[in-house]
Amino acid sequence: MSGQRIAFGSAALLIVVTYATISPRIPKIHEKVVTSYPANDPDQLPPIGKGRVNSTDYVPLMDLGLRKISSHADVVAQCGWDVTLLVDASSPNTVLAGVSFDIFSYEDFQKIYCDSSVGKETKAIKRGSQFHRFEWGKIHPVGSRMPTGGKPGDTYTGYAGMEVIDISHIRLLFTYAADVERMVAVIAPIHPHAAKELWQLSSEVNSLGGIGMTTYYCWNFVVPQHVDCNATWTIALQTCKEAPADEFNFVMMDLGCYVETAENALCTTTTTTTTTTTTTTTTTTT
């Protein structure tokens, strides 16, 4: 993996983008839990899931040789943003993922931060069998989905708790639409291909507002390594982090790196990225 930093912009806006060239690799730690602690350290999160609790397999982050992507205070101080784009070594014009620090203005970030508490109005998702042995945190969906294992006749429909029965539910829907559009709009200047693809695909599905994405509001959410098979790009925003810097981070195993998350840090990843989400975050995904 190599990288270079390039500055571009006008007198009114200067954006510094770090281009990190990577060679995607096949992940070998599927369903294992990545931890920042050494083996058998008493401070690592214990398994609290249903059944097979004692079979949780931990992998120390330090043993994986992953590149750390973190915020550079000097860049943020000078430019306001700190952006890293991960590009394919065999196709330098192909962006596989992006990480942006201090991406939102104070006003917009505060709106999203306050909106995240509204997401708890919906019913939390029950995790699949591959996650039963390690069930830290909660994840609440807002939006539409195709039910897994649904009955004949089931179709693309809203999650439980999204029924419009009073003013608070109407506000929830508008809050969801505004948060999604803010996220897609903010990545457009630095990752236009992802933004364009999200807009195009939204024309084929149910949408509230302009983007047909589903939002997942997460609190202290941790999952083992897994493959996300989404239709298009996933955007994740860290709305709050009250933990040491080396905890509750975001691993992109097949890209050979991990993100040291921070408040107002946003990750954009492709459909094939294998991730361990160890973060309190607001995530939008189609």
PDB file of all heavy atoms in Angstrom, residues 142-156:
ATOM      1  N   VAL A 142     -34.424   2.556   9.862  1.00  0.00           N
ATOM      2  CA  VAL A 142     -35.447   3.477   9.365  1.00  0.00           C
ATOM      3  C   VAL A 142     -35.396   3.406   7.847  1.00  0.00           C
ATOM      4  O   VAL A 142     -34.349   3.639   7.244  1.00  0.00           O
ATOM      5  CB  VAL A 142     -35.193   4.924   9.822  1.00  0.00           C
ATOM      6  CG1 VAL A 142     -36.290   5.835   9.280  1.00  0.00           C
ATOM      7  CG2 VAL A 142     -35.139   5.025  11.334  1.00  0.00           C
ATOM      8  N   GLY A 143     -36.515   3.062   7.232  1.00  0.00           N
ATOM      9  CA  GLY A 143     -36.532   2.958   5.777  1.00  0.00           C
ATOM     10  C   GLY A 143     -37.255   1.707   5.316  1.00  0.00           C
ATOM     11  O   GLY A 143     -38.080   1.145   6.045  1.00  0.00           O
ATOM     12  N   SER A 144     -36.951   1.246   4.119  1.00  0.00           N
ATOM     13  CA  SER A 144     -37.618   0.083   3.532  1.00  0.00           C
ATOM     14  C   SER A 144     -36.633  -1.044   3.322  1.00  0.00           C
ATOM     15  O   SER A 144     -35.430  -0.832   3.212  1.00  0.00           O
ATOM     16  CB  SER A 144     -38.255   0.465   2.191  1.00  0.00           C
ATOM     17  OG  SER A 144     -39.193   1.501   2.358  1.00  0.00           O
ATOM     18  N   ARG A 145     -37.183  -2.268   3.270  1.00  0.00           N
ATOM     19  CA  ARG A 145     -36.321  -3.418   3.051  1.00  0.00           C
ATOM     20  C   ARG A 145     -37.118  -4.564   2.463  1.00  0.00           C
ATOM     21  O   ARG A 145     -38.336  -4.606   2.526  1.00  0.00           O
ATOM     22  CB  ARG A 145     -35.636  -3.869   4.338  1.00  0.00           C
ATOM     23  CG  ARG A 145     -36.385  -4.927   5.162  1.00  0.00           C
ATOM     24  CD  ARG A 145     -37.590  -4.372   5.883  1.00  0.00           C
ATOM     25  NE  ARG A 145     -38.178  -5.337   6.820  1.00  0.00           N
ATOM     26  CZ  ARG A 145     -39.412  -5.814   6.691  1.00  0.00           C
ATOM     27  NH1 ARG A 145     -40.128  -5.490   5.641  1.00  0.00           N
ATOM     28  NH2 ARG A 145     -39.911  -6.627   7.602  1.00  0.00           N
ATOM     29  N   MET A 146     -36.404  -5.509   1.859  1.00  0.00           N
ATOM     30  CA  MET A 146     -36.986  -6.763   1.417  1.00  0.00           C
ATOM     31  C   MET A 146     -36.780  -7.752   2.554  1.00  0.00           C
ATOM     32  O   MET A 146     -35.642  -8.061   2.909  1.00  0.00           O
ATOM     33  CB  MET A 146     -36.305  -7.279   0.153  1.00  0.00           C
ATOM     34  CG  MET A 146     -36.906  -8.581  -0.378  1.00  0.00           C
ATOM     35  SD  MET A 146     -38.555  -8.362  -1.074  1.00  0.00           S
ATOM     36  CE  MET A 146     -38.141  -7.544  -2.610  1.00  0.00           C
ATOM     37  N   PRO A 147     -37.851  -8.232   3.203  1.00  0.00           N
ATOM     38  CA  PRO A 147     -37.684  -9.092   4.376  1.00  0.00           C
ATOM     39  C   PRO A 147     -36.982 -10.398   4.069  1.00  0.00           C
ATOM     40  O   PRO A 147     -37.295 -11.071   3.090  1.00  0.00           O
ATOM     41  CB  PRO A 147     -39.123  -9.336   4.849  1.00  0.00           C
ATOM     42  CG  PRO A 147     -39.959  -9.110   3.637  1.00  0.00           C
ATOM     43  CD  PRO A 147     -39.260  -8.041   2.843  1.00  0.00           C
ATOM     44  N   THR A 148     -36.002 -10.742   4.898  1.00  0.00           N
ATOM     45  CA  THR A 148     -35.294 -12.009   4.751  1.00  0.00           C
ATOM     46  C   THR A 148     -36.199 -13.141   5.228  1.00  0.00           C
ATOM     47  O   THR A 148     -36.744 -13.091   6.327  1.00  0.00           O
ATOM     48  CB  THR A 148     -34.006 -11.997   5.588  1.00  0.00           C
ATOM     49  OG1 THR A 148     -33.182 -10.921   5.130  1.00  0.00           O
ATOM     50  CG2 THR A 148     -33.244 -13.297   5.434  1.00  0.00           C
ATOM     51  N   GLY A 149     -36.334 -14.174   4.427  1.00  0.00           N
ATOM     52  CA  GLY A 149     -37.183 -15.292   4.815  1.00  0.00           C
ATOM     53  C   GLY A 149     -38.644 -14.919   4.904  1.00  0.00           C
ATOM     54  O   GLY A 149     -39.405 -15.495   5.678  1.00  0.00           O
ATOM     55  N   GLY A 150     -39.048 -13.920   4.127  1.00  0.00           N
ATOM     56  CA  GLY A 150     -40.426 -13.444   4.188  1.00  0.00           C
ATOM     57  C   GLY A 150     -41.428 -14.460   3.661  1.00  0.00           C
ATOM     58  O   GLY A 150     -41.094 -15.411   2.970  1.00  0.00           O
ATOM     59  N   LYS A 151     -42.686 -14.209   3.985  1.00  0.00           N
ATOM     60  CA  LYS A 151     -43.760 -15.077   3.528  1.00  0.00           C
ATOM     61  C   LYS A 151     -44.121 -14.735   2.075  1.00  0.00           C
ATOM     62  O   LYS A 151     -43.829 -13.641   1.604  1.00  0.00           O
ATOM     63  CB  LYS A 151     -44.991 -14.895   4.423  1.00  0.00           C
ATOM     64  CG  LYS A 151     -44.752 -15.244   5.879  1.00  0.00           C
ATOM     65  CD  LYS A 151     -46.010 -14.967   6.702  1.00  0.00           C
ATOM     66  CE  LYS A 151     -45.766 -15.274   8.166  1.00  0.00           C
ATOM     67  NZ  LYS A 151     -46.962 -14.973   8.976  1.00  0.00           N
ATOM     68  N   PRO A 152     -44.775 -15.657   1.362  1.00  0.00           N
ATOM     69  CA  PRO A 152     -45.206 -15.363  -0.008  1.00  0.00           C
ATOM     70  C   PRO A 152     -46.075 -14.102  -0.022  1.00  0.00           C
ATOM     71  O   PRO A 152     -46.976 -13.943   0.794  1.00  0.00           O
ATOM     72  CB  PRO A 152     -46.010 -16.607  -0.391  1.00  0.00           C
ATOM     73  CG  PRO A 152     -45.434 -17.700   0.457  1.00  0.00           C
ATOM     74  CD  PRO A 152     -45.082 -17.042   1.760  1.00  0.00           C
ATOM     75  N   GLY A 153     -45.767 -13.211  -0.940  1.00  0.00           N
ATOM     76  CA  GLY A 153     -46.524 -11.964  -1.016  1.00  0.00           C
ATOM     77  C   GLY A 153     -45.841 -10.805  -0.342  1.00  0.00           C
ATOM     78  O   GLY A 153     -46.207  -9.644  -0.565  1.00  0.00           O
ATOM     79  N   ASP A 154     -44.848 -11.091   0.520  1.00  0.00           N
ATOM     80  CA  ASP A 154     -44.100  -9.997   1.138  1.00  0.00           C
ATOM     81  C   ASP A 154     -43.364  -9.214   0.057  1.00  0.00           C
ATOM     82  O   ASP A 154     -42.904  -9.769  -0.936  1.00  0.00           O
ATOM     83  CB  ASP A 154     -43.074 -10.542   2.139  1.00  0.00           C
ATOM     84  CG  ASP A 154     -43.707 -10.871   3.476  1.00  0.00           C
ATOM     85  OD1 ASP A 154     -44.886 -10.518   3.665  1.00  0.00           O
ATOM     86  OD2 ASP A 154     -43.034 -11.477   4.326  1.00  0.00           O
ATOM     87  N   THR A 155     -43.234  -7.937   0.261  1.00  0.00           N
ATOM     88  CA  THR A 155     -42.583  -7.100  -0.739  1.00  0.00           C
ATOM     89  C   THR A 155     -41.721  -6.059  -0.055  1.00  0.00           C
ATOM     90  O   THR A 155     -41.587  -6.050   1.161  1.00  0.00           O
ATOM     91  CB  THR A 155     -43.636  -6.432  -1.647  1.00  0.00           C
ATOM     92  OG1 THR A 155     -42.964  -5.727  -2.689  1.00  0.00           O
ATOM     93  CG2 THR A 155     -44.510  -5.461  -0.861  1.00  0.00           C
ATOM     94  N   TYR A 156     -41.162  -5.179  -0.852  1.00  0.00           N
ATOM     95  CA  TYR A 156     -40.318  -4.105  -0.347  1.00  0.00           C
ATOM     96  C   TYR A 156     -41.178  -3.200   0.531  1.00  0.00           C
ATOM     97  O   TYR A 156     -42.080  -2.529   0.043  1.00  0.00           O
ATOM     98  CB  TYR A 156     -39.770  -3.342  -1.541  1.00  0.00           C
ATOM     99  CG  TYR A 156     -38.608  -2.429  -1.266  1.00  0.00           C
ATOM    100  CD1 TYR A 156     -37.379  -2.941  -0.875  1.00  0.00           C
ATOM    101  CD2 TYR A 156     -38.729  -1.054  -1.436  1.00  0.00           C
ATOM    102  CE1 TYR A 156     -36.296  -2.109  -0.652  1.00  0.00           C
ATOM    103  CE2 TYR A 156     -37.654  -0.214  -1.232  1.00  0.00           C
ATOM    104  CZ  TYR A 156     -36.442  -0.745  -0.832  1.00  0.00           C
ATOM    105  OH  TYR A 156     -35.369   0.078  -0.611  1.00  0.00           O
TER     106      TYR A 156
END
